[in-house]
């Protein structure tokens, strides 16, 4: 998810793209069923965001694995939003597209939104912002004001092109909590250090120096600021946007919920947990 090391992840994508079954950006398009749908549930959806929603690291190899995505995944073990909606409205079968991109920052949202408009979905999920905080240095993190402008640009495209679509805005997970639970795990510390995983937060993970603790707290505070801007942007969007209320940020991502490839991205169990806590239940907003 970091802005520096995602290049390596993308290189692995090129090597192993065929190794992770079902990790394409869209579900296959089968013949539509004639089953009567439950009232109000969408018949199509699109996922926007970064490597979390792309399912990076949730398969047996370190690649994007959208079949395990909390949003559009078709692995029944995940109980994704797509699967939950399909139980209520079979018409969504094959109508879920995942446009999330590993390494994406908030400035990528407008481009993803433009592609989403072309697909004409009735439901759009958004989870983005961790990469804006995961900079090489804390000074390189996206400012809250710029972050809000970039999120606003993406939402403006959606509102203009998909005025009737429902938007779910998901909060950024708590990376400070991840550091807290991983700092005493030798394997996690080794992977974070060698891989340069989210250096603004996870560099020198065992250090108790005041400067390192202050650095981590600055990243923690910036993520909280981003979540505030996401909430405000969703409110400004109007009644078609729903904020998750900070549910994703409150998940206690212990190490058994993150990938052993990087001890950072949610594994399949983590994706399932994320799908559960941010699922809106009824689509009445």
């Amino acid at each position: 998810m970091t802005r520096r090391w995602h290049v390596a992840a993308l290189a692995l994508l090129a090597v192993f793209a065929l190794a992770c079954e079902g990790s394409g950006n869209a579900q296959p398009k089968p013949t539509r069923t004639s089953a009567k749908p439950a009232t109000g549930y969408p018949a199509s959806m699109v996922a926007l965001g970064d490597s979390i929603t792309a399912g990076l690291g949730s398969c047996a190899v370190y690649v994007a694995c959208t079949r395990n995505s909390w949003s559009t995944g078709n692995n029944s073990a995940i109980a994704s939003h797509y699967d939950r909606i399909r139980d209520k409205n079979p018409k969504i079968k094959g109508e879920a597209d995942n446009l999330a991109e590993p390494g994406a920052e908030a400035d990528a949202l407008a481009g993803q939104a433009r592609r989403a408009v072309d697909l004409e979905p009735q439901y759009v999920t958004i989870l983005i912002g961790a990469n804006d905080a995961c900079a090489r240095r804390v000074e390189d993190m996206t400012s809250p004001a710029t972050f809000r402008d970039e999120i606003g640009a993406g939402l403006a495209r959606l509102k203009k092109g998909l005025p009737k679509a429902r938007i779910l805005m998901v909060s950024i997970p708590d990376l400070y909590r991840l550091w807290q639970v991983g700092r005493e795990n030798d394997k996690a510390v080794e992977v974070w250090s060698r891989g340069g995983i989210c250096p603004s937060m996870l560099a020198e993970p065992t250090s108790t120096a005041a400067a390192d603790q202050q650095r981590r707290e600055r990243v923690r505070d910036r993520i909280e600021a981003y979540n505030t801007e996401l909430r405000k942007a969703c409110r400004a969007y109007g009644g078609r946007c729903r904020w998750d209320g900070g549910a994703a940020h409150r998940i206690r991502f212990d190490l058994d919920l993150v990938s052993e490839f990087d001890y950072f991205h949610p594994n399949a169990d983590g994706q399932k947990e994320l799908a559960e806590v941010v699922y809106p239940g009824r689509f009445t907003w």
Side-chain angles (χ1 to χ4, degrees):
M1 285 167 47
T2 69
R3 67 176 77 195
R4 304 297 183 191
W5 64 271
H6 81 270
V7 174
L10 293 177
L12 284 170
L13 284 171
V15 177
F16 296 114
L18 296 179
C20 187
E21 180 183 358
S23 63
N25 277 347
Q27 310 294 345
K29 306 287 186 180
T31 302
R32 287 185 179 275
T33 177
S34 59
K36 185 177 179 180
T39 302
Y41 287 83
S44 56
M45 67 177 293
V46 166
L48 309 182
D50 55 29
S51 50
I52 295 179
T53 301
L56 182 66
S58 64
C59 282
V61 291
Y62 194 59
V63 298
C65 184
T66 57
R67 70 184 176 91
N68 283 344
S69 171
W70 65 271
S71 177
T72 60
N74 60 2
N75 178 357
S76 60
I78 304 300
S80 69
H81 288 202
Y82 167 69
D83 269 351
R84 292 165 185 254
I85 296 167
R86 187 175 58 182
D87 288 342
K88 299 292 186 179
N89 183 4
K91 287 187 176 181
I92 201 173
K93 187 174 182 179
E95 300 294 338
D97 293 271
N98 195 317
L99 304 182
E101 303 165 300
E105 299 179 20
D107 61 0
L109 186 60
Q112 292 183 16
R114 182 174 61 250
R115 294 168 60 197
V117 168
D118 292 338
L119 295 169
E120 301 181 343
Q122 296 176 5
Y123 175 48
V124 179
T125 68
I126 301 173
L127 170 51
I128 201 165
N131 290 312
D132 292 87
C134 284
R136 180 65 58 185
R137 305 175 305 161
V138 292
E139 293 81 6
D140 297 329
M141 293 188 297
T142 305
S143 71
T146 298
F147 182 82
R148 174 62 181 275
D149 289 343
E150 292 168 350
I151 294 297
L155 289 178
R157 286 186 180 273
L158 292 176
K159 190 168 188 177
K160 181 178 180 180
L162 301 170
K164 295 184 179 181
R166 295 180 180 90
I167 312 299
L168 178 69
M169 183 70 77
V170 178
S171 54
I172 303 166
D174 187 351
L175 304 186
Y176 188 80
R177 155 77 183 176
L178 182 63
W179 166 75
Q180 286 179 314
V181 300
R183 60 183 170 170
E184 296 181 353
N185 182 283
D186 292 341
K187 184 62 175 178
V189 168
E190 178 185 3
V191 170
W192 289 345
S193 299
R194 290 187 177 183
I197 310 300
C198 193
S200 57
M201 176 63 78
L202 301 177
E204 303 294 339
T206 61
S207 172
T208 58
D212 287 317
Q213 183 57 23
Q214 290 169 4
R215 166 177 54 81
R216 298 176 195 121
E217 291 173 356
R218 289 179 64 185
V219 180
R220 178 198 62 193
D221 293 347
R222 184 59 54 90
I223 290 174
E224 291 179 355
Y226 291 164
N227 280 333
T228 296
E229 296 304 332
L230 290 171
R231 175 178 56 81
K232 290 180 178 179
C234 186
R235 179 185 298 173
Y237 187 94
R240 291 281 178 174
C241 185
R242 177 168 177 168
W243 169 239
D244 79 340
H249 188 73
R250 290 192 297 270
I251 295 176
R252 297 176 65 84
F253 273 111
D254 293 325
L255 296 187
D256 60 350
L257 294 180
V258 296
S259 170
E260 292 186 358
F261 287 113
D262 58 17
Y263 288 90
F264 189 77
H265 290 89
N267 58 20
D269 288 337
Q271 291 281 344
K272 180 178 181 180
E273 179 72 10
L274 183 57
E276 171 68 22
V277 301
V278 302
Y279 185 62
R282 297 182 62 84
F283 291 80
T284 55
W285 76 91

